[in-house]
Amino acid sequence: MPRTEAVDDGLGWSEPEKAELARLAPGLLPGRIMTCDLVGALVLTELGSASATYGASLLLAAARARSAGRLWPKPGDRVAVRRWPDGPVTVEGVVA
């Protein structure tokens, strides 16, 4: 998603990017990784901070990316987050 306007939401997402996320991946929320390790991350969202684990789609993408020489998601990365109805939060993908 190319950045098209100034960002002032504290998460690094512009309004058009949020709208595109909602259109392409209904149910996912914008977020930013504050800290992370191989087990999970502390993610900042519009609803506040949340401890999150990694969703299957992110784990698969990261496994494929490692073979291409890329690194695991890191602090500061913009991410798509899912808040599950029963409480857990998962990071579903890193957004470029």
Side-chain angles (χ1 to χ4, degrees):
M1 288 183 241
R3 292 184 180 212
T4 57
E5 68 178 43
V7 176
D8 63 2
D9 67 353
L11 300 176
W13 290 77
S14 67
E15 288 304 318
E17 290 170 328
K18 290 177 189 178
E20 186 174 357
L21 177 65
R23 183 180 63 79
L24 295 175
L28 296 186
L29 305 170
R32 183 171 290 269
I33 294 181
M34 303 308 293
T35 63
C36 61
D37 57 27
L38 294 176
V39 178
L42 177 62
V43 179
L44 182 62
T45 71
E46 294 173 323
L47 302 174
S49 62
S51 294
T53 57
Y54 302 121
S57 58
L58 176 62
L59 293 171
L60 180 58
R64 288 180 176 160
R66 282 182 180 232
S67 65
R70 296 184 189 163
L71 299 174
W72 183 254
K74 59 190 176 304
D77 281 347
R78 296 180 318 143
V79 293
V81 176
R82 182 178 311 277
R83 287 186 170 270
W84 294 90
D86 58 343
V89 177
T90 54
V91 177
E92 297 296 324
V94 176
V95 179

